[in-house]
Amino acid sequence: MAREKSPGRGCSSLSRCLLGAALLVGLRLCAELRRAGPRPPARSAPPNPAPPLPAAHVRPAPGPPRGASRRQVTYVRSGRRAPPGGGGSGTPEPGCCAPRGSPRRKIACDHMSTGSPAPDASPAKKPWSVCLDDRFGLAHQIRNKQCRLYSLGLGSDDTHFEVSMANSGCEVHRFDPSVKSAHILESQHLWYHRLSINWRDPHPAVAAQKLHSNTRKLGTILNEFGHHKIDVLKADLESAEWKVLENLILEDVLEQIGQLLFEIHLHWPGFEVGGSDSSVVRFWYSLLKELERKDFRLFHSYKDLSKPQLFLKKDIFNASSCYTLSWVNTRWK
């Protein structure tokens, strides 16, 4: 996956925003970016090289030359596109600011499980946590051995969370294109699938030449497996999470999910996301806000300080390029 300089004063409150409430990140960062004013035109210097990436993923094309149209960013709810250069005629960009009224903050979860065998594995010290409050239904599903968890990942060797959930009685499906066989039953409740979850299905012409294509949309996987509900969806997709989350929203797959645990990456816009910094933040914010409209509430956040302190290629003190955010569907039964 691709990764794309000077410190930006527009991002000084990142740590505070994401730890306090994930939905405020777009609001505060965008407001600061506006205060900072327009940047001077870029000179015709070659862009900084990015670290080498796996060949399986295509890096977005470099920014267009001065005067050319910039890549348009689609905003989830309205479907409107940002005009070239952020101005001129055409449909205006959606505002970065929240509607009137205070955004809903993180809800309290009295009983959380980290899925870790370590006795000191408190939720604050571990990224992956599920909410086991009876009001949200997951604990009831586990007790009745009717829990189902999907884990979307890319080559991670840490499977403590998945194994723990399987041992508790959950039916766990782990999707990773690096596994050797198409479908492996690791234990009574733990399946490994040689599949990667994308934000689009392969083109029919390509799929026809490849009988067992290993890339699918999540909605397609659910239909193929005959699964109508997922109690927990865990995803660590190395910057593909923004487009996958957009797909889940646009295709109403969120209604089939009880809890959503996503690792988000902020060091660059993400695959097939582009535009100015403010446009990218608006796009991210529109996704987080749409989760709120779908009655998903944040109950846990984790900041990984072992990762570079970068936000859209800017060095930010005491921040992180990687956060894990956990939401619960308050309408889940």
Side-chain angles (χ1 to χ4, degrees):
M1 302 250 172
R3 289 173 171 77
E4 300 242 330
K5 246 162 238 119
S6 60
R9 70 178 189 178
C11 305
S12 62
S13 61
L14 175 64
S15 171
R16 186 167 73 242
C17 294
L18 277 177
L19 290 178
L23 292 178
L24 292 179
V25 63
L27 171 64
R28 294 187 182 179
L29 288 169
C30 183
E32 290 296 326
L33 285 170
R34 282 189 169 179
R35 286 197 202 102
R39 298 181 177 179
R43 297 186 179 180
S44 55
N48 287 342
L53 302 163
H57 302 286
V58 180
R59 177 179 177 168
R66 185 178 178 183
S69 296
R70 307 188 69 160
R71 178 179 174 81
Q72 294 180 331
V73 177
T74 301
Y75 295 89
V76 167
R77 188 164 182 82
S78 65
R80 294 180 295 179
R81 293 183 177 270
S89 58
T91 305
E93 292 185 352
C96 67
C97 302
R100 293 181 180 178
S102 300
R104 294 179 178 89
R105 296 185 179 274
K106 186 189 299 184
I107 65 170
C109 178
D110 297 326
H111 303 91
M112 279 195 284
S113 171
T114 64
S116 172
D120 62 343
S122 67
K125 297 179 181 178
K126 292 291 180 179
W128 307 109
S129 296
V130 292
C131 183
L132 297 179
D133 286 6
D134 284 335
R135 54 187 170 143
F136 298 131
L138 178 59
H140 175 77
Q141 294 292 92
I142 292 175
R143 286 194 295 267
N144 292 329
K145 307 299 182 184
Q146 295 179 339
C147 164
R148 179 178 294 126
L149 182 148
Y150 272 31
S151 175
L152 321 180
L154 294 172
S156 173
D157 294 328
D158 184 3
T159 59
H160 285 124
F161 179 80
E162 288 83 354
V163 171
S164 175
M165 294 296 288
N167 290 339
S168 70
C170 274
E171 174 189 333
V172 177
H173 295 267
R174 187 164 184 260
F175 298 87
D176 188 337
S178 67
V179 301
K180 295 180 180 179
S181 300
H183 304 284
I184 303 174
L185 181 59
E186 180 73 14
S187 66
Q188 184 179 359
H189 298 286
L190 181 57
W191 286 88
Y192 283 77
H193 304 280
R194 191 180 60 197
L195 293 167
S196 63
I197 305 301
N198 208 323
W199 55 92
R200 56 178 169 240
D201 285 329
H203 191 279
V206 176
Q209 301 174 13
K210 202 172 182 180
L211 295 178
H212 302 288
S213 176
N214 64 348
T215 299
R216 303 278 199 285
K217 293 187 298 185
L218 183 62
T220 303
I221 294 291
L222 289 171
N223 289 334
E224 290 180 355
F225 285 16
H227 294 163
H228 303 292
K229 288 186 175 183
I230 307 172
D231 294 282
V232 180
L233 176 63
K234 170 183 178 280
D236 179 4
L237 298 174
E238 301 297 335
S239 297
E241 66 276 356
W242 295 110
K243 293 298 291 182
V244 169
L245 181 56
E246 180 189 42
N247 172 257
L248 299 183
I249 293 170
L250 292 176
E251 297 193 354
D252 294 325
V253 180
L254 283 177
E255 298 175 359
Q256 300 171 258
I257 300 171
Q259 296 190 28
L260 191 64
L261 321 179
F262 259 56
E263 183 173 282
I264 63 170
H265 300 84
L266 308 174
H267 57 292
W268 72 294
F271 291 96
E272 296 194 9
V273 180
S276 65
D277 285 358
S278 59
S279 294
V280 170
V281 170
R282 289 186 184 101
F283 174 70
W284 289 349
Y285 180 73
S286 77
L287 296 175
L288 300 178
K289 193 63 182 175
E290 196 67 18
L291 283 177
E292 185 180 88
R293 291 191 180 101
K294 299 284 187 181
D295 293 315
F296 278 76
R297 298 291 178 262
L298 187 75
F299 68 87
H300 179 63
S301 60
Y302 173 84
K303 176 172 63 173
D304 190 346
L305 289 177
S306 68
K307 298 297 177 69
Q309 297 181 336
L310 292 176
F311 179 85
L312 292 177
K313 298 174 283 185
K314 301 176 182 68
D315 294 321
I316 306 298
F317 175 71
N318 198 33
S320 174
S321 59
C322 176
Y323 290 79
T324 303
L325 304 178
S326 304
W327 294 270
V328 61
N329 183 348
T330 57
R331 292 186 296 176
W332 191 252
K333 302 296 183 184

